[in-house]
Amino acid sequence: MREILSALERWYADRTPFGLATVVAVSRSAPRGPGAAMAVGSDEVVGSVSGGCVEGAVFELAQEVVASGEARLETFGYSDEDAFAVGLTCGGEITVLVRPVTPETDPGFGAVAASVAAGEPVTVATVVDGPAPRGATLAVWQGTEAGTLGAAGLDVAVTADARGELALGASLLRHYGPRGERREDSVAVFLQSFAPPPRMLVFGAIDYAAAVARIGDFLGYRVTVCDARPVFATPKRFPAGVEVVAEWPHRYLGGTDTDERTVICVLTHDPKFDVPLLEEALRRPAAYIGAMGSRRTHDERRTQLTEAGLTEAELSRLRSPLGLDLGARTPEEVAVSVAAEIVALRWGGSGAPLTTTAGAIHPPAAP
């Protein structure tokens, strides 16, 4: 929903009814995961639930939902019997919940949208199926909640689970009894959590940094570029929206929180910056830690880090030289190489051409 938020906020403020379609379950080789969203307004469509396979059918379904005011649940999959049936050509299956949204049917939507836009954690619980009002929503923040799923006990149980998902930003189905009973599964509830965007920390304000920062912003990261040299660390050299900090890299990182989603790109390839920075980075949580430089530079840097006391387990986290082997030359091509490695590491991809691989193109995400 984050990708289509501006349109949804505009429609909601204008009191324009729209149908919001959300992927709530997938199986096998589905092109988009749970939480993928598409919305249909009076004269505009935004977002995607399948990358194009079933969007036409979902468009018609959303129009029907807006007209009737009742949420619908539909499953789309590949049909061997009818090649012209609506389905996924990748062979997977997705279940989509489509619900009408207006200030009357969902009075808490505006507050949710504002939190998502501001990067404030919020989880939205929506009834998918079972003896509860399909499409009913409950928004849960750390200290408050808004809406109801139709039963007080169900609200209490779901609120507790939703708060547990806030920090993770996970999207998943949970099952309860009609009054929130934990050992029953008659009511399916989709929990969609919006955590703040993950961070990308780029060290070294060189021309490659501008390209990496640009592609990091495109991928949805909150990007910061840091360099100890004020003459290079100037906002005018970087894309709008990228934070630029003039500070010694290891000092900045030492005072910055990171988590298991954080990406750290070290582009300075200068030992006086790299070694203390990587010593700090490799001892803290991060999804990706990559460093630019030649293989000789990597070997020398590794020796210095070993002398600084880093263990083999800590050093094994370092991706150096960073990026996949694409034959990249320009800063923009190198940025694509780095982004490809980050995505492959995140989802367990091999980095090999798909023509040389077998099996599902979109394997299920690891739990």
Side-chain angles (χ1 to χ4, degrees), residues 55-93:
E55 267 65 13
V58 173
F59 171 78
E60 295 179 359
L61 183 60
Q63 289 185 312
E64 294 172 6
V65 163
V66 170
S68 69
E70 296 181 359
R72 296 265 300 275
L73 186 70
E74 294 288 345
T75 297
F76 300 94
Y78 182 76
S79 172
D80 289 322
E81 292 75 23
D82 184 357
F84 295 98
V86 173
L88 303 180
T89 56
C90 59
E93 185 176 274

Coordinates of all heavy atoms in Angstrom, one line a residue, residues 55-93:
E55 N -4.9 -8.5 -13.2 CA -5.3 -7.2 -12.9 C -6.7 -6.8 -13.5 O -7.5 -6.1 -12.9 CB -4.3 -6.1 -13.3 CG -3.3 -5.8 -12.2 CD -2.4 -6.9 -11.8 OE1 -2.4 -8.0 -12.5 OE2 -1.7 -6.8 -10.8
G56 N -7.0 -7.3 -14.7 CA -8.2 -7.0 -15.4 C -9.4 -7.6 -14.6 O -10.4 -6.9 -14.4
A57 N -9.3 -8.8 -14.1 CA -10.3 -9.4 -13.3 C -10.5 -8.7 -11.9 O -11.6 -8.5 -11.4 CB -10.0 -10.9 -13.0
V58 N -9.4 -8.3 -11.3 CA -9.4 -7.6 -10.0 C -10.1 -6.2 -10.2 O -10.8 -5.7 -9.4 CB -8.0 -7.5 -9.4 CG1 -8.1 -6.6 -8.2 CG2 -7.5 -8.9 -9.1
F59 N -9.8 -5.5 -11.4 CA -10.4 -4.3 -11.7 C -12.0 -4.4 -11.7 O -12.7 -3.6 -11.0 CB -9.9 -3.7 -13.0 CG -10.7 -2.5 -13.5 CD1 -10.4 -1.3 -13.0 CD2 -11.6 -2.7 -14.5 CE1 -11.1 -0.2 -13.5 CE2 -12.3 -1.6 -15.0 CZ -12.0 -0.3 -14.5
E60 N -12.5 -5.4 -12.4 CA -13.9 -5.6 -12.4 C -14.5 -6.0 -11.1 O -15.5 -5.5 -10.7 CB -14.2 -6.7 -13.4 CG -13.9 -6.4 -14.9 CD -14.2 -7.5 -15.8 OE1 -14.7 -8.5 -15.4 OE2 -14.0 -7.3 -17.0
L61 N -13.7 -6.8 -10.3 CA -14.2 -7.2 -9.0 C -14.2 -5.9 -8.1 O -15.2 -5.8 -7.3 CB -13.2 -8.2 -8.4 CG -13.5 -8.8 -7.0 CD1 -14.9 -9.5 -7.1 CD2 -12.4 -9.8 -6.6
A62 N -13.2 -5.1 -8.2 CA -13.2 -3.9 -7.3 C -14.4 -2.9 -7.6 O -15.0 -2.3 -6.7 CB -11.9 -3.1 -7.5
Q63 N -14.8 -2.8 -8.9 CA -15.9 -2.0 -9.3 C -17.2 -2.6 -8.7 O -18.1 -1.8 -8.2 CB -16.0 -2.0 -10.8 CG -15.0 -1.1 -11.5 CD -15.2 -1.0 -13.0 OE1 -15.4 -2.0 -13.7 NE2 -15.1 0.2 -13.5
E64 N -17.3 -3.9 -8.7 CA -18.5 -4.6 -8.1 C -18.5 -4.3 -6.6 O -19.6 -4.1 -6.0 CB -18.5 -6.1 -8.4 CG -18.6 -6.4 -9.9 CD -18.4 -7.9 -10.1 OE1 -18.3 -8.6 -9.2 OE2 -18.4 -8.3 -11.3
V65 N -17.4 -4.4 -6.0 CA -17.3 -4.2 -4.5 C -17.7 -2.8 -4.1 O -18.4 -2.5 -3.2 CB -15.9 -4.5 -4.0 CG1 -15.6 -3.9 -2.6 CG2 -15.6 -6.0 -4.0
V66 N -17.2 -1.8 -4.9 CA -17.6 -0.4 -4.6 C -19.1 -0.2 -4.8 O -19.8 0.5 -4.0 CB -16.8 0.6 -5.5 CG1 -17.4 2.0 -5.4 CG2 -15.3 0.5 -5.2
A67 N -19.7 -0.8 -5.8 CA -21.1 -0.7 -6.1 C -22.0 -1.3 -5.0 O -23.0 -0.8 -4.6 CB -21.4 -1.3 -7.4
S68 N -21.5 -2.5 -4.5 CA -22.3 -3.2 -3.5 C -22.0 -2.8 -2.1 O -22.8 -3.0 -1.2 CB -22.1 -4.7 -3.7 OG -20.7 -5.1 -3.3
G69 N -20.8 -2.3 -1.9 CA -20.4 -2.0 -0.5 C -20.0 -3.2 0.3 O -19.8 -3.1 1.5
E70 N -19.8 -4.4 -0.3 CA -19.5 -5.6 0.4 C -18.1 -6.1 -0.1 O -17.9 -6.2 -1.3 CB -20.6 -6.6 0.2 CG -21.9 -6.2 0.8 CD -23.0 -7.3 0.5 OE1 -22.6 -8.4 -0.1 OE2 -24.1 -7.1 1.0
A71 N -17.3 -6.5 0.9 CA -16.0 -7.0 0.6 C -16.1 -8.4 -0.1 O -17.0 -9.2 0.2 CB -15.1 -7.1 1.8
R72 N -15.1 -8.8 -0.9 CA -15.1 -10.0 -1.6 C -13.7 -10.7 -1.5 O -12.7 -10.0 -1.4 CB -15.4 -9.9 -3.1 CG -16.8 -9.3 -3.4 CD -17.8 -10.5 -3.7 NE -17.4 -11.3 -4.8 CZ -17.7 -11.0 -6.1 NH1 -18.4 -9.8 -6.3 NH2 -17.4 -11.8 -7.1
L73 N -13.7 -12.0 -1.5 CA -12.4 -12.8 -1.4 C -12.4 -13.7 -2.6 O -13.3 -14.5 -2.8 CB -12.4 -13.6 -0.1 CG -11.1 -14.3 0.2 CD1 -10.0 -13.4 0.5 CD2 -11.3 -15.3 1.3
E74 N -11.3 -13.6 -3.4 CA -11.2 -14.4 -4.6 C -9.8 -15.0 -4.7 O -8.8 -14.4 -4.3 CB -11.4 -13.6 -5.9 CG -12.8 -13.0 -6.0 CD -13.9 -14.1 -6.3 OE1 -13.4 -15.2 -6.8 OE2 -15.1 -13.9 -6.2
T75 N -9.7 -16.2 -5.2 CA -8.4 -16.9 -5.4 C -8.2 -17.0 -6.9 O -9.1 -17.4 -7.7 CB -8.4 -18.3 -4.8 OG1 -8.5 -18.1 -3.4 CG2 -7.1 -19.0 -5.1
F76 N -7.0 -16.7 -7.4 CA -6.6 -16.8 -8.8 C -5.4 -17.7 -8.9 O -4.4 -17.6 -8.2 CB -6.2 -15.4 -9.3 CG -7.3 -14.4 -9.3 CD1 -7.4 -13.5 -8.2 CD2 -8.3 -14.3 -10.3 CE1 -8.4 -12.6 -8.1 CE2 -9.3 -13.4 -10.2 CZ -9.3 -12.5 -9.1
G77 N -5.5 -18.7 -9.9 CA -4.4 -19.6 -10.1 C -4.4 -20.0 -11.5 O -5.3 -19.7 -12.3
Y78 N -3.3 -20.8 -11.9 CA -3.2 -21.2 -13.3 C -4.1 -22.3 -13.6 O -4.3 -23.2 -12.8 CB -1.7 -21.7 -13.5 CG -1.4 -22.1 -14.9 CD1 -1.3 -21.1 -15.9 CD2 -1.4 -23.4 -15.3 CE1 -1.0 -21.5 -17.2 CE2 -1.1 -23.8 -16.6 CZ -0.9 -22.9 -17.5 OH -0.6 -23.2 -18.8
S79 N -4.7 -22.3 -14.8 CA -5.7 -23.3 -15.2 C -5.1 -24.1 -16.4 O -4.9 -23.6 -17.5 CB -7.0 -22.6 -15.6 OG -7.9 -23.6 -16.2
D80 N -4.9 -25.4 -16.2 CA -4.4 -26.2 -17.2 C -5.6 -26.6 -18.2 O -5.3 -26.8 -19.4 CB -3.9 -27.6 -16.7 CG -2.6 -27.4 -16.0 OD1 -1.8 -26.6 -16.4 OD2 -2.4 -28.0 -14.9
E81 N -6.8 -26.6 -17.7 CA -7.9 -26.9 -18.5 C -8.3 -25.8 -19.5 O -8.8 -26.1 -20.6 CB -9.1 -27.3 -17.6 CG -9.0 -28.6 -16.8 CD -8.1 -28.4 -15.6 OE1 -7.9 -27.2 -15.2 OE2 -7.5 -29.4 -15.1
D82 N -8.2 -24.6 -19.1 CA -8.6 -23.5 -19.9 C -7.5 -22.5 -20.1 O -7.3 -21.7 -19.2 CB -9.9 -22.8 -19.3 CG -10.5 -21.7 -20.2 OD1 -9.8 -21.4 -21.3 OD2 -11.5 -21.2 -19.8
A83 N -6.8 -22.4 -21.2 CA -5.7 -21.6 -21.4 C -6.1 -20.1 -21.3 O -5.3 -19.2 -21.2 CB -5.0 -21.9 -22.7
F84 N -7.4 -19.8 -21.6 CA -7.8 -18.4 -21.6 C -8.5 -18.0 -20.3 O -9.0 -16.9 -20.2 CB -8.8 -18.2 -22.8 CG -8.2 -18.5 -24.1 CD1 -8.3 -19.7 -24.8 CD2 -7.5 -17.4 -24.7 CE1 -7.8 -19.9 -26.0 CE2 -6.9 -17.6 -26.0 CZ -7.0 -18.9 -26.6
A85 N -8.5 -18.9 -19.3 CA -9.0 -18.5 -18.0 C -8.2 -17.5 -17.3 O -7.0 -17.4 -17.5 CB -9.2 -19.8 -17.1
V86 N -8.8 -16.7 -16.5 CA -8.1 -15.7 -15.7 C -7.2 -16.5 -14.7 O -7.7 -17.3 -13.9 CB -9.0 -14.8 -14.9 CG1 -8.2 -13.9 -14.0 CG2 -9.8 -14.0 -15.9
G87 N -5.9 -16.2 -14.7 CA -5.0 -16.9 -13.8 C -3.6 -16.4 -13.9 O -3.3 -15.5 -14.6
L88 N -2.7 -17.1 -13.2 CA -1.3 -16.7 -13.2 C -0.5 -17.6 -14.1 O -0.4 -18.8 -14.0 CB -0.7 -16.8 -11.7 CG -1.5 -16.0 -10.7 CD1 -0.8 -16.3 -9.3 CD2 -1.5 -14.6 -11.0
T89 N 0.1 -16.9 -15.1 CA 0.9 -17.7 -16.0 C 2.2 -18.3 -15.4 O 2.8 -19.2 -16.0 CB 1.4 -16.8 -17.2 OG1 2.1 -15.7 -16.7 CG2 0.1 -16.3 -18.0
C90 N 2.6 -17.8 -14.2 CA 3.7 -18.4 -13.5 C 3.4 -19.7 -12.8 O 4.3 -20.4 -12.3 CB 4.3 -17.4 -12.5 SG 3.1 -16.9 -11.3
G91 N 2.1 -20.1 -12.8 CA 1.8 -21.4 -12.2 C 1.5 -21.3 -10.7 O 1.2 -22.3 -10.1
G92 N 1.5 -20.1 -10.1 CA 1.2 -20.0 -8.7 C -0.3 -19.7 -8.4 O -1.1 -19.8 -9.3
E93 N -0.5 -19.3 -7.2 CA -1.9 -19.0 -6.8 C -1.9 -17.8 -5.8 O -1.0 -17.8 -4.9 CB -2.5 -20.2 -6.2 CG -4.0 -20.1 -5.8 CD -4.5 -21.4 -5.3 OE1 -4.9 -22.3 -6.1 OE2 -4.5 -21.6 -4.0

